[in-house]
Amino acid sequence: MTNKKNPNWEKVITDEISKFEKNTHLLSELKHAVTRPSMYTVSLINDDFTPMDFVVQVLEKVFHKSHEEATRIMLIVHTEGEAICGTFTREVAETKVTQVIDIAHAYQYPLKCIMCKDQEYVIKKSGS
């Protein structure tokens, strides 16, 4: 290391520190700008016509539930009138609802499947 001072070093160092501070500020702004996607709860609604075994199969195929978990959810739908199948981003929730309704219609069952924004579902359930 030498003792000679280069007059440009001070400017270069100051410029680099300024760039770093500017980039850090931009990164901080980006972190605040990025938000988590809204989540949606998908539920099945009970009816008097769709067979329980069919509901279990739908839960296994569409929601990838084990047989035991699918049976548990189906019994909640049957006894309480409605049960949550899962919580997903909007696009995934829409796809699941469409799949359930399409499969039910293909077999001529009136099985209903709905989605609610996760916070709305909590409000709806606690307010009823």
Side-chain angles (χ1 to χ4, degrees):
M1 200 184 303
T2 62
N3 236 355
K4 295 179 184 176
K5 235 183 177 179
N6 183 336
N8 289 331
W9 289 355
E10 228 175 272
K11 181 175 179 349
V12 169
I13 290 171
T14 304
D15 288 349
E16 288 302 314
I17 289 172
S18 177
K19 284 182 197 173
F20 176 77
E21 288 172 349
K22 188 184 229 180
N23 287 340
T24 303
H25 179 69
L26 288 173
L27 183 60
S28 176
E29 285 180 13
L30 277 176
K31 283 182 181 178
H32 292 296
V34 177
T35 58
R36 296 192 92 126
S38 296
M39 300 302 284
Y40 291 78
T41 302
V42 176
S43 301
L44 289 179
I45 308 297
N46 190 40
D47 65 69
D48 294 333
F49 304 101
T50 306
M52 293 180 184
D53 289 343
F54 181 80
V55 174
V56 170
Q57 287 181 359
V58 167
L59 288 163
E60 290 173 353
K61 300 296 181 196
V62 176
F63 297 97
H64 307 286
K65 302 293 184 187
S66 68
H67 185 73
E68 293 77 21
E69 181 71 5
T71 302
R72 185 185 71 75
I73 293 169
M74 176 276 299
L75 288 172
I76 293 170
V77 171
H78 181 69
T79 58
E80 297 180 22
E82 179 180 350
I84 295 173
C85 303
T87 303
F88 311 94
T89 59
R90 191 187 88 233
E91 293 82 8
V92 174
E94 287 173 346
T95 301
K96 301 279 186 195
V97 168
T98 301
Q99 288 175 331
V100 169
I101 291 170
D102 288 350
I103 292 168
H105 284 169
Y107 288 90
Q108 298 181 347
Y109 293 127
L111 182 62
K112 298 285 183 229
C113 187
I114 61 168
M115 62 183 261
C116 294
K117 201 167 191 177
D118 203 27
Q119 190 60 33
E120 292 172 4
Y121 188 83
V122 171
I123 293 168
K124 176 183 156 193
K125 292 305 275 186
S126 64
S128 49

